[in-house]
């Protein structure tokens, strides 16, 4: 079996790139050793950032500069006006709210205007506020950044690309054939008792936290840094709400919501609280999160809510100590491209760049003839990863007391 490029890892970076390459007539296949989006993509808060969050210090960082173009690209894809057509994806909201815990400042609005962001926060009047923000002091802004459901997004790609998505065994599901020259000429893939060798001209590593290990197997260990987060989930009769509570130059808390049915909604709490929480036990973080919620959203009564937490690492290209990369990162060694999108929002950029690189660097061009995948017709298509809240071991009350009987499924094993 021959392909132009084999992509290892089916998170947002690998999936968007596969879609781009397929649309450009490139013979591309994607290998997934667990479930699509396992790890970061399924856990992400699904916000298509336009840069404001990354410019709170009053400087237009490289990230904000590049990221300001992203919401329009996504908006067009999500409305079906541009490929990939993602119009079946569940968009949780077309905007986020921004509010501050200190009444005096309207810094967020000022910054958007100064920094020439495409999407600027709009100061909204009291009667335009969502109910939940009625009691907060200070200005409230609306920011037209879309928030989407990661599992629905992953399903959209699965439906579009299933013949090209291959399930491999979790352990030793792929073996790279590295030539003396350092070039990877083929991969042998395994699932259950099946085995297939695919020759290829290029490899893309988009395996998130596993990129370092895989790139080492391909001949050069590419430098990666992990940024740990401890996320809190809150379940109950909560409204659908997406917003950032800004405290000075920091995002004190980012709240995103998904409706679960039966009047129940789950909130994910990210931002500073998830970074600070990495050293805390689950129970301590839950107590802290409940206190924070009451402080930043006085309208929320935490007494009937259920809480749970999970730990997850953000995988990024290694940069200077204490720094974070601002833009999508692609490292090339021979014919292997190792990539970290840095943000979900940057996936279209990664795909575009990989398409350009394989054309320019490896001379891979569009094929006009059909590509027969007969040898792979029986090969299993990977499922989409379970959302972090769907297999929680046990939910807790706001005081950190366990409520439900634990099941035997570890949410981190299911959904990163
Ligand atoms: C809690 C959290 C919230 C976030 N919120 C946002 C947000 O709101 N907006 C935003 O823009 N960004 C956000 N991000 C960042 C964003 O989620 C990531 O940048 C992005 O999802 C990374 O995608 P990826 O495809 O590189 O990796 P991943 O999503 O980690 O996917 C890697 C894939 O590779 C597979 N894999 C691993 N090893 C192998 C192997 N050996 N063989 C085959 N497959 C393998 C995995 O199973 C997985 O499917 C958030 C991240 C986190 C952790």
């Amino acid at each position: 079996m021959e392909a132009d490029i084999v992509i290892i890892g089916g998170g947002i970076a690998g999936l968007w790139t596969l879609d781009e390459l397929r649309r450009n007539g490139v013979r591309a296949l994607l290998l997934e050793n667990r479930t699509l989006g396992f790890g970061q993509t399924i856990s992400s808060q699904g916000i298509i950032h336009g840069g404001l969050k990354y410019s709170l210090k009053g400087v237009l960082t490289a990230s904000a500069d590049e990221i300001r173009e992203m919401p329009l690209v996504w908006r067009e894809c999500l409305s079906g006006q541009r490929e990939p057509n993602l119009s079946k994806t569940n968009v949780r909201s077309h905007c986020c709210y921004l509010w501050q815990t200190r009444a005096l400042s309207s810094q967020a609005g000022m910054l958007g205007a100064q920094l020439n962001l495409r999407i600027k926060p709009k100061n909204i009047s009291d009667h335009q506020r969502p109910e939940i923000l009625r009691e907060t002091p200070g200005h409230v802004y609306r920011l037209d950044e879309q928030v989407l459901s990661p599992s629905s997004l992953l399903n959209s790609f699965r439906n579009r690309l299933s013949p090209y998505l291959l399930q491999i065994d979790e352990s030793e599901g792929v073996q790279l054939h590295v030539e003396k020259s350092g070039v990877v000429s083929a991969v042998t893939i395994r699932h259950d008792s099946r085995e297939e060798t695919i020759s290829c001209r290029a490899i893309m590593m988009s395996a998130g936290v596993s990129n370092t290990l895989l790139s080492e197997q391909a001949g050069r260990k590419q430098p990666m840094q992990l940024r740990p987060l401890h996320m809190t989930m809150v379940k109950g009769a909560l409204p659908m709400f997406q917003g950032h509570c800004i405290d000075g130059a920091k995002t004190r808390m980012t709240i995103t919501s998904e409706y679960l049915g039966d009047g129940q909604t789950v909130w994910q709490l990210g931002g500073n609280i998830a970074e600070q929480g990495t050293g805390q036990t689950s129970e301590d973080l839950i107590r802290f999160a409940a206190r924070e919620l009451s402080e930043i959203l006085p309208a929320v009564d935490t007494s009937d809510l259920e809480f749970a937490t999970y730990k997850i690492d953000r995988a990024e290209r290694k940069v200077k100590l204490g720094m974070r990369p601002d833009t999508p990162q692609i490292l090339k060694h021979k014919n292997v491209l190792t990539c970290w999108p840095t943000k979900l929002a940057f996936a279209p950029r990664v795909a575009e760049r990989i398409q350009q690189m394989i054309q320019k660097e490896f001379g891979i061009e569009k094929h006009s003839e059909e590509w027969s995948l007969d040898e792979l017709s029986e090969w299993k298509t990977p499922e989409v990863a379970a959302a972090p809240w769907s297999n929680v071991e046990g939910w807790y009350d706001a005081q950190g007391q366990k409520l439900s009987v634990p099941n035997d499924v570890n949410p981190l094993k299911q959904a990163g």
Side-chain angles (χ1 to χ4, degrees):
M1 169 98 209
E2 278 177 31
D4 292 324
I5 178 164
V6 172
I7 300 172
I8 307 181
I12 191 60
L15 289 167
W16 200 300
T17 304
L18 176 66
D19 204 290
E20 178 93 16
L21 299 180
R22 293 293 316 136
R23 280 182 281 111
N24 281 285
V26 173
R27 295 181 172 172
L29 293 168
L30 184 150
L31 315 178
E32 171 55 55
N33 77 341
R34 291 199 231 209
T35 43
L36 298 172
F38 179 94
Q40 299 169 90
T41 303
I42 194 68
S43 310
S44 98
Q45 293 195 270
I47 302 171
I48 307 306
H49 298 291
L52 186 87
K53 193 177 166 189
Y54 306 100
S55 14
L56 292 173
K57 291 199 171 82
V59 196
L60 187 67
T61 60
S63 168
D65 196 22
E66 187 159 0
I67 207 164
R68 68 183 177 179
E69 310 301 333
M70 302 321 300
L72 180 65
V73 174
W74 279 82
R75 200 172 290 277
E76 288 180 352
C77 295
L78 291 164
S79 63
Q81 292 166 283
R82 178 186 183 137
E83 291 290 352
N85 181 336
L86 301 174
S87 55
K88 297 225 163 70
T89 302
N90 171 20
V91 178
R92 294 165 170 170
S93 174
H94 290 277
C95 70
C96 295
Y97 291 93
L98 288 176
W99 78 104
Q100 289 164 314
T101 33
R102 285 186 230 122
L104 28 118
S105 156
S106 63
Q107 188 192 20
M110 301 275 296
L111 280 181
Q114 282 165 10
L115 296 175
N116 197 21
L117 296 176
R118 297 271 187 279
I119 295 184
K120 294 176 185 149
K122 296 180 190 107
N123 195 350
I124 58 170
S125 60
D126 286 357
H127 74 274
Q128 290 174 314
R129 291 182 180 203
E131 193 65 38
I132 200 163
L133 291 175
R134 289 272 151 87
E135 292 173 42
T136 53
H139 299 276
V140 174
Y141 299 87
R142 205 188 73 214
L143 187 63
D144 290 336
E145 291 181 350
Q146 293 189 300
V147 187
L148 48 84
S149 156
S151 79
S152 165
L153 173 69
L154 291 161
N155 268 305
S156 295
F157 278 110
R158 185 180 189 270
N159 292 338
R160 288 173 64 84
L161 300 168
S162 57
Y164 310 100
L165 302 175
L166 307 178
Q167 181 73 55
I168 57 170
D169 288 341
E170 189 173 328
S171 151
E172 296 179 20
V174 57
Q175 183 199 337
L176 306 175
H177 298 250
V178 187
E179 302 298 315
K180 278 206 181 101
S181 62
V183 162
V184 178
S185 58
V187 296
T188 296
I189 60 170
R190 294 185 191 92
H191 183 55
D192 293 341
S193 49
R194 282 174 195 277
E195 188 174 294
E196 184 73 43
T197 295
I198 305 166
S199 65
C200 57
R201 294 166 67 189
I203 298 274
M204 173 184 178
M205 307 285 191
S206 49
V209 292
S210 304
N211 268 353
T212 295
L213 188 68
L214 283 165
S215 60
E216 191 174 13
Q217 285 166 13
R220 175 174 297 170
K221 185 175 175 180
Q222 299 291 16
M224 177 175 75
Q225 66 187 30
L226 297 178
R227 201 145 53 77
L229 296 171
H230 196 173
M231 300 293 289
T232 308
M233 298 171 288
V234 193
K235 191 171 69 156
L238 288 161
M240 283 292 284
F241 174 69
Q242 331 288 336
H244 306 283
C245 175
I246 308 292
D247 194 6
K250 290 217 158 187
T251 310
R252 184 165 171 182
M253 193 186 284
T254 293
I255 300 174
T256 50
S257 321
E258 183 129 322
Y259 186 60
L260 300 176
D262 292 336
Q264 294 258 308
T265 300
V266 65
W267 284 7
Q268 281 215 91
L269 313 184
N272 215 29
I273 184 172
E275 291 178 20
Q276 281 182 341
T278 52
Q280 289 177 302
T281 64
S282 192
E283 289 86 345
D284 284 345
L285 179 58
I286 286 168
R287 283 187 282 271
F288 179 60
R291 281 198 306 276
E292 282 284 280
L293 273 181
S294 307
E295 230 176 86
I296 65 170
L297 289 174
V300 172
D301 175 5
T302 58
S303 56
D304 284 333
L305 299 177
E306 298 181 29
F307 294 75
T309 71
Y310 67 97
K311 289 189 172 174
I312 172 107
D313 288 327
R314 280 181 88 138
E316 300 168 338
R317 178 190 176 177
K318 192 174 178 62
V319 286
K320 271 195 252 156
L321 195 66
M323 304 292 281
R324 298 174 183 183
D326 277 330
T327 50
Q329 303 289 318
I330 302 172
L331 299 178
K332 174 176 172 285
H333 172 66
K334 305 290 179 182
N335 64 339
V336 178
L337 304 172
T338 303
C339 98
W340 292 274
T342 306
K343 291 174 180 70
L344 181 86
F346 276 133
R349 278 281 175 276
V350 170
E352 225 173 72
R353 284 188 199 157
I354 297 275
Q355 161 68 22
Q356 288 161 1
M357 283 174 88
I358 63 165
Q359 213 176 6
K360 199 163 143 237
E361 315 258 349
F362 312 126
I364 295 174
E365 296 287 349
K366 182 184 175 104
H367 292 264
S368 38
E369 331 78 69
E370 279 285 298
W371 188 26
S372 163
L373 292 173
D374 287 350
E375 286 125 291
L376 298 172
S377 60
E378 307 270 297
W379 207 278
K380 186 176 180 276
T381 304
E383 301 295 335
V384 165
W389 48 83
S390 56
N391 286 309
V392 167
E393 273 184 356
W395 292 87
Y396 294 73
D397 67 13
Q399 281 73 46
Q401 300 296 318
K402 202 160 196 172
L403 291 167
S404 40
V405 182
N407 65 30
D408 49 3
V409 186
N410 181 341
L412 299 180
K413 284 197 183 140
Q414 289 295 306

